[in-house]
């Protein structure tokens, strides 16, 4: 039986906590979650939806079926960081990673094995194609022979064994270029290199939203609504900052369009009318959100009504 001290338990618990935190990768001011398990936990455990932006390899231009990575709003990323559920990490460039001889040989062996497997599959497909066409090839050759006989021409020697010979010699003559190989794209980094945790309070290059008044207002509104149990997504398609749902967006329609303003900001009357009419047309209530002098979030609901 192995016994460990309380201090060892604490160290192990801290390590487990570090490993269980969601990893958020920041690239050019945008937050991404790359691991599938982290994306699942982001939604199921923390009620943050994000937006899948990864395209399919064979159909990169379609946008109906998207996958990893999961792109997070700045407010979603900051919330996860502040509640201790995630860590902002920075990976060194691939140039920083050095590969030893064994790793290079292992990778070369993997490529060779992959090529051999794909060569066999391509060969089988070629065989099936020739077998399906063999009868038509023989029939076509016989037809051409009869035509030459009917025209009193000397018939050419057309062997019906041609397709069979092609099939028999296919393994020796078949060529599968390496350029036609399918490329395997891993969904996780095999060699992460140097992974460093970034403190958003100290690194403005990794977190460009630091001390920005607009972001502070949006974040406090986002955090307040999230604490009330709402789900939030980007509201850009309805002219707002956030769409607010009473539950998971897979099951509910948004009830509110949240628009954030600074307390001292003047709002044009035309903008208020536009927001109210738009919200009514899409059957949602517009929330004008701002912070009071104490930093508390205040809401003003807006609905369009006519005589």
């Amino acid at each position: 039986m192995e016994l460990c001290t309380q201090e060892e338990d604490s160290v192990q618990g801290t390590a487990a906590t570090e490993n269980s935190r969601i990893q958020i990768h920041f690239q050019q001011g945008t937050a991404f979650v790359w691991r599938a398990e982290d994306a699942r936990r982001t939604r199921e455990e923390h009620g943050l939806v994000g937006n899948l932006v990864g395209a399919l390899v064979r159909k990169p231009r379609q946008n109906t079926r998207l996958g990893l990575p999961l792109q997070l709003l700045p407010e979603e990323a900051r919330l996860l960081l502040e509640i201790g559920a995630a860590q902002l990490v920075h990976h060194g460039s691939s140039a920083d990673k050095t590969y030893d001889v064994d790793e290079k040989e292992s990778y070369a062996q993997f490529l060779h094995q992959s090529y051999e497997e794909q060569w066999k599959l391509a060969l089988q497909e070629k065989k099936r194609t020739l077998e399906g066409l063999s009868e038509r090839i023989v029939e076509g050759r016989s037809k051409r022979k009869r035509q030459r006989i009917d025209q009193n021409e000397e018939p050419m020697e057309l062997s019906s064994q041609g397709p069979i010979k092609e099939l028999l010699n296919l393994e020796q003559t078949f060529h599968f270029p390496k350029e036609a190989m399918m490329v395997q794209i891993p969904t996780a980094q095999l060699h992460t290199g140097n992974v460093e945790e970034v403190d958003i309070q100290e690194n403005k290059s990794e977190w460009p939203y630091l001390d920005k008044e607009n972001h502070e207002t949006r974040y406090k509104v986002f955090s307040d609504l999230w604490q009330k149990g709402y789900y939030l997504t980007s509201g850009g398609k309805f002219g707002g900052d956030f769409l607010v749902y009473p539950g998971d967006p897979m099951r509910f329609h948004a009830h509110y369009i949240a628009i954030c303003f600074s307390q001292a900001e003047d709002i044009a009357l035309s903008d208020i009318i536009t927001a109210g009419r738009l919200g009514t047309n899409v059957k949602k209530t517009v929330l004008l959100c701002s912070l009071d002098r104490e930093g508390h979030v205040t809401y003003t609901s807006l609905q369009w009504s006519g005589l």
Side-chain angles (χ1 to χ4, degrees):
M1 180 182 296
E2 295 184 359
L3 299 177
C4 60
T5 64
Q6 183 176 0
E7 182 178 356
E8 291 174 342
D9 284 338
S10 177
V11 171
Q12 292 176 0
T14 303
T17 302
E18 290 290 331
N19 294 332
S20 64
R21 285 196 295 173
I22 297 169
Q23 288 193 356
I24 299 177
H25 306 257
F26 234 70
Q27 298 176 359
Q28 298 181 350
T30 305
F32 296 99
V33 174
W34 283 91
R35 297 191 303 196
E37 177 63 17
D38 286 348
R40 182 195 65 79
R41 292 177 54 205
T42 298
R43 188 178 191 120
E44 294 183 2
E45 297 180 10
H46 305 290
L48 300 174
V49 180
N51 184 33
L52 292 171
V53 296
L56 298 176
V57 177
R58 291 191 175 184
K59 297 181 179 179
R61 297 184 181 180
Q62 61 83 35
N63 59 0
T64 56
R65 293 185 130 188
L66 299 176
L68 294 175
L70 179 72
Q71 180 179 336
L72 300 178
L73 295 172
E75 294 75 23
E76 292 175 320
R78 180 176 172 182
L79 180 63
L80 287 172
L81 294 172
E82 292 197 354
I83 65 176
Q87 59 179 160
L88 183 65
V89 297
H90 172 73
H91 289 275
S93 65
S94 57
D96 298 334
K97 170 65 180 177
T98 58
Y99 300 92
D100 55 30
V101 176
D102 292 337
E103 289 178 315
K104 292 180 180 179
E105 291 181 353
S106 177
Y107 182 68
Q109 184 179 0
F110 166 77
L111 289 180
H112 178 72
Q113 182 180 355
S114 178
Y115 174 78
E116 292 292 331
E117 293 175 354
Q118 294 186 47
W119 182 87
K120 292 179 181 179
L121 292 174
L123 177 63
Q124 293 175 3
E125 182 66 24
K126 183 71 173 180
K127 284 183 177 180
R128 285 194 293 267
T129 302
L130 287 177
E131 289 171 354
L133 294 176
S134 60
E135 294 182 1
R136 296 179 58 184
I137 293 174
V138 173
E139 182 180 351
R141 289 179 176 178
S142 300
K143 183 177 180 180
R144 289 196 298 272
K145 184 176 180 179
R146 288 194 299 271
Q147 289 176 347
R148 296 182 68 87
I149 293 175
D150 294 339
Q151 296 173 1
N152 296 323
E153 297 180 8
E154 184 178 351
M156 297 178 62
E157 291 296 329
L158 299 176
S159 175
S160 62
Q161 299 297 318
I164 298 178
K165 289 182 178 180
E166 292 180 29
L167 285 172
L168 292 176
N169 299 327
L170 187 60
E171 291 191 9
Q172 289 73 30
T173 60
F174 180 70
H175 175 65
F176 180 66
K178 290 187 176 181
E179 294 79 8
M181 284 180 59
M182 295 182 64
V183 180
Q184 182 178 9
I185 300 179
T187 58
Q189 234 176 334
L190 298 179
H191 303 287
T192 57
N194 298 325
V195 180
E196 299 178 357
E197 185 172 0
V198 178
D199 187 352
I200 63 174
Q201 299 298 330
E202 299 178 358
N203 198 322
K204 290 187 178 181
S205 61
E206 294 292 338
W207 186 262
Y209 307 101
L210 191 63
D211 298 330
K212 298 293 180 64
E213 181 181 0
N214 182 46
H215 170 70
E216 292 298 323
T217 302
R218 284 171 52 97
Y219 175 70
K220 289 186 177 181
V221 171
F222 184 95
S223 178
D224 186 69
L225 290 171
W226 177 79
Q227 290 176 6
K228 296 180 185 298
Y230 291 103
Y231 283 68
L232 293 93
T233 63
S234 174
K237 63 182 178 181
F238 289 114
D241 291 288
F242 307 113
L243 290 179
V244 185
Y245 298 79
D248 193 301
M250 294 292 291
R251 300 177 57 193
F252 298 91
H253 290 288
H255 284 191
Y256 305 101
I257 303 174
I259 306 177
C260 302
F261 294 96
S262 172
Q263 184 72 19
E265 183 179 354
D266 293 331
I267 307 175
L269 182 59
S270 59
D271 293 339
I272 296 178
I273 295 174
T274 300
R277 294 187 65 177
L278 175 61
T280 300
N281 286 336
V282 295
K283 298 180 181 180
K284 305 182 194 310
T285 299
V286 174
L287 293 180
L288 303 181
C289 314
S290 61
L291 305 179
D292 59 19
R293 294 181 179 179
E294 289 75 25
H296 300 140
V297 183
T298 61
Y299 302 99
T300 302
S301 61
L302 186 64
Q303 287 185 321
W304 179 265
S305 62
L307 296 177

